[in-house]
Amino acid sequence: MKNNSHLKLRALCEGALLIAAAQILGYIKIFALPNGGSITLNMLPIFIYCSRWGFGYGILASFVLSLLQLMLDGAYAWGWQSIIGDYILAYTVIGLAGLFHKRKYGFFSGILAGSAARFIISYIVGATVWGEYMPEHFFGMTMTTPWFYSALYNGSYIFACMFLDLVVAAILFKPLNGFITGKDLRLK
């Protein structure tokens, strides 16, 4: 029989390992945009953690990842608005994936929800904080409003990350189903 303190310790240890994996995967960039944002698999370990442990632990792990991202990758944070929006909020909301943790297909729903939440935060910050740096042309299109530019800029890498996470998650789900869904954590 697994007791509560054993599970808390296990949650913390797994959280530390998956946060470290997320940080390392963040350095493996498939594509990087010039002003921050890149296509990586760094959200996937957090989505796995959220699927296993739920919202409370998931939001905490996402917050810790946000601080690591800020401290180790914060080259694009030029002001307090960017620090809070681009890093702390944008990475912390990934933990919303934990809201789906005991549902059928909750792992995949969590990936969609966490990615969408990150996009919404990045979209708002991009239009309000970074809008003044909007180029005249982006992806071969004339930019007329910071809201469209932010949607295009942030959507280009966040939704690519989401798609990549879903593909890798689909590959891993069958062999790692018991781990991802936390079946090994259930009390016997």
Side-chain angles (χ1 to χ4, degrees):
M1 186 113 171
K2 296 176 182 175
N3 62 33
N4 197 26
S5 63
H6 170 80
L7 287 176
K8 285 181 181 180
L9 178 61
R10 185 168 176 175
L12 291 173
C13 291
E14 284 184 18
L17 290 171
L18 289 170
I19 291 165
Q23 186 64 33
I24 291 166
L25 286 172
Y27 294 127
I28 304 169
K29 297 177 184 348
I30 296 168
F31 179 78
L33 290 168
N35 297 319
S38 55
I39 300 171
T40 69
L41 280 169
N42 77 326
M43 293 188 297
L44 187 60
I46 301 301
F47 290 139
I48 291 170
Y49 187 71
C50 289
S51 180
R52 284 180 61 73
W53 293 99
F55 176 74
Y57 285 112
I59 208 82
L60 179 61
S62 300
F63 176 70
V64 171
L65 179 63
S66 78
L67 296 177
L68 283 175
Q69 287 289 306
L70 177 62
M71 289 186 290
L72 301 176
D73 276 356
Y76 298 104
W78 291 347
W80 66 269
Q81 303 96 328
S82 177
I83 289 169
I84 292 171
D86 286 329
Y87 290 93
I88 295 174
L89 288 177
Y91 279 95
T92 300
V93 296
I94 295 169
L96 293 174
L99 293 172
F100 300 89
H101 103 102
K102 287 190 179 174
R103 298 187 180 162
K104 187 175 183 180
Y105 305 114
F107 180 46
F108 299 99
S109 300
I111 291 172
L112 294 172
S115 298
R118 181 177 176 202
F119 170 75
I120 290 168
I121 297 294
S122 296
Y123 169 66
I124 292 169
V125 172
T128 58
V129 174
W130 297 104
E132 65 184 279
Y133 302 104
M134 177 181 74
E136 288 184 32
H137 293 54
F138 185 69
F139 285 154
M141 292 182 267
T142 303
M143 296 294 110
T144 57
T145 172
W147 293 99
F148 179 69
Y149 170 64
S150 181
L152 194 60
Y153 189 96
N154 291 298
S156 69
Y157 73 91
I158 292 173
F159 291 126
C161 287
M162 179 186 72
F163 178 75
L164 186 61
D165 287 344
L166 286 169
V167 169
V168 173
I171 293 167
L172 295 177
F173 192 72
K174 188 171 183 178
L176 297 177
N177 182 359
F179 178 78
I180 291 171
T181 58
K183 288 179 184 170
D184 61 322
L185 302 174
R186 307 292 190 264
L187 294 175
K188 295 179 180 174

